[in-house]
Every structure is written in C-alpha cells, then in structure tokens.
Amino acid sequence: MSINDTTGVISWLPDNGDVGDTLVTIIASDDSSAIDTQSFVLHIENVNDPPVIILDITDFIVAEDAADTSFALGEIFHDDDLYSVDDSLIFTLTNSQPGLVNASIARDTLFLDYLENQNGTVNLSITATDIPQTSATESFLNTITAVNDIPSSFNLITEDAIVFYDSVITFNWEASLDPDVLTNADQLFYTFRYSAVEDFSTYFDIEDIGDTSLTLELPFVQDQTYYWKVRVEDFYRVKIWSDEVRSFSLNYEDNPPSIPALITPLTQAVL
C-alpha cells in the first residue's frame, strides 16, 4: 500500500491472500509538525480461484500383472485458495475398464491396482472440485500389455497297466491350466510320447491333441513294456511335461483251448 504525498491517493494491489478486514490509518502533517489522523477499515472480498492442473499425467504403458501405480494428486492439481481461505478439493475419478484395473483415491493419492492376468487399454479421468463447485479434470490412457503365462503342470490319470494284446488302449491325463486361454485367446495342445526304453532315447510322438484323452490302436509288440508321458504346449511354444511317466505292456488274452470236434470212427474198412 502506498500514498501519493501530494494528491493523497492511496494505491494498493492486494495479493491473493489479502482477504478480510484491514485497518488503515492515514496521518497528515504540516510544516509545524501538527498532525491529524483518519482511520478506516478496508474489507477485501474473496474471489474464488478455481482448481488448475499444474502437471499433466501423460499416457503410459505397463505390463500385465505390473506392480501398483500411484500419483500424488497434490502434485497434479493446485488451488490458490487452499492457503488463503477455508477452501478444499474433493477428488473423484472415472474408470472405463474396472475389470482391468482397480482405481481408487485415498489420502489425496490415486492408486491403480492391476488385476491379475488382465490386459487392454483403460481411460481414466480425475476431477478436482473446490467448495464453490468449480473444477478441473485430468484424463489419460493407461495401456496394459499382455504377458504370456506358462501352462500349469499336470498329472497323468491312467495308471501303469498290463492290457490284452487285442485291446484298445485309452490314456487320460489332467488338463493343464493357462489363464491366457480366457484372456488372450491362447490355445493349448498336447503331445503324447511313448517309448520302448525308459530313458526315451528313442520315442514316437503323437502331436496336436486338443483333448486330455487318447485312444490307440497300434501294433505294439507283445510282452514289451512301453513308457509314456504327455507334454502341453501353448500358442507361444512354451512347453511343459507331465510330472510323471507311466508304463503299459501287452499280453495275449488267456482264452481256454476249444474242444475239437470228434471224427466218427469207421465201422468198415476195405483192405
């Protein structure tokens, strides 16, 4: 505040925080040092300052199953009235894909919790609103990229067995689990491997099996033990073998001998 000593004009440019009542006293004096004073109260009315964005949240990318992301909203939004008058900011958010990311605000902080095995693009908007209901909104895209999950381990169901030589052999195993089948349109295929030697140094493969069961009608060697196991493979060629190796062997079916037909004896003979 200043006063022109010739005209007596008072000049004052109030700051944002200069809100309320101020006592102003004017003193006038002459050459004989005689003085007079005049006092008055200057009342400054508050003018609302709306929230403003001081730092943009740029679009960003994270990998599937990434650690949580957080933003301190006091570093994103500002309101001059927070420090001069009794004002405050209320934060609200919109989330276009709550099935991909759990977004929440606590203690003026935005938290992004990425849901397990989910990927895609999320549009997020944060709005800061002050007491007089003026607001500012910051929007951004959060892209979650897919990460391949390996198929789970699995067990064989069919036990070691001895089967008859002319029997049809059916093998069963548990299904391997892969969350990408549901979320990334992944596919699983099984390979059945069998061998006449336990170390599988030589073997035969039956590939691209889409089920967890296989029926074989092959010319296996009688009284030969065969070993078998199963491998699962996803679309990205990640391969997992079953936890066990099982065996089977073949024997002829033990049927009782049939009774031969008797030949009628000759009653006459020609010599």
Side-chain angles (χ1 to χ4, degrees), residues 33 57 61 103 114 120 137 177 185 211 219 228 237 257-258:
S33 299
I57 303 177
I61 299 173
Y114 305 105
T137 299
L177 302 179
D211 199 1
W228 65 282
R237 301 304 180 190
S258 60

Side-chain angles (χ1 to χ4, degrees), residues 48 53 85 112:
N48 182 57
I53 297 169
V85 296
L112 302 179

Side-chain angles (χ1 to χ4, degrees), residues 42-69:
L42 179 63
H43 179 74
I44 308 299
E45 290 285 349
N46 179 58
V47 176
N48 182 57
D49 293 287
V52 294
I53 297 169
I54 57 175
L55 179 65
D56 286 324
I57 303 177
T58 57
D59 299 344
F60 65 98
I61 299 173
V62 298
E64 181 182 300
D65 300 328
D68 293 356
T69 303

Side-chain angles (χ1 to χ4, degrees), residues 95-103 113-120 122 144 183:
N95 176 5
S96 67
Q97 296 287 349
L100 301 184
V101 59
N102 180 22
D113 176 18
Y114 305 105
L115 301 185
E116 186 176 8
N117 300 316
Q118 301 300 314
N119 58 81
V122 184
I144 307 163
T183 59

Side-chain angles (χ1 to χ4, degrees), residues 125-253:
S125 295
I126 312 300
T127 299
T129 305
D130 63 7
I131 291 178
Q133 297 299 300
T134 59
S135 62
T137 299
E138 172 72 350
S139 298
F140 59 95
L141 294 178
N142 179 195
T143 300
I144 307 163
T145 58
V147 174
N148 184 50
D149 295 280
I150 65 173
S152 69
S153 60
F154 61 100
N155 297 314
L156 305 179
I157 296 176
T158 302
E159 300 288 345
D160 297 343
I162 298 176
V163 296
F164 293 130
Y165 184 77
D166 56 356
S167 297
V168 174
I169 311 172
T170 299
F171 303 90
N172 297 285
W173 55 89
E174 295 177 348
S176 175
L177 302 179
D178 188 335
D180 295 332
V181 172
L182 295 177
T183 59
N184 299 340
D186 202 354
Q187 293 177 293
L188 296 181
F189 300 96
Y190 297 95
T191 295
F192 180 91
R193 177 170 293 182
Y194 68 94
S195 173
V197 290
E198 193 169 2
D199 63 1
F200 288 88
S201 55
T202 59
Y203 57 85
F204 299 92
D205 279 350
I206 301 174
E207 300 179 315
D208 296 329
I209 304 169
D211 199 1
T212 58
S213 180
L214 176 67
T215 298
L216 293 183
E217 296 184 66
L218 297 176
F220 293 107
V221 177
Q222 180 197 352
D223 295 327
Q224 168 69 55
T225 297
Y226 292 91
Y227 303 90
W228 65 282
K229 58 184 177 179
V230 177
R231 183 185 70 200
V232 65
E233 179 177 349
D234 67 7
F235 180 79
Y236 299 95
R237 301 304 180 190
V238 178
K239 303 173 182 179
I240 301 293
W241 282 102
S242 58
D243 290 337
E244 308 100 345
V245 173
R246 296 281 167 80
S247 66
F248 66 95
S249 58
L250 292 90
N251 272 332
Y252 280 115
E253 186 171 0

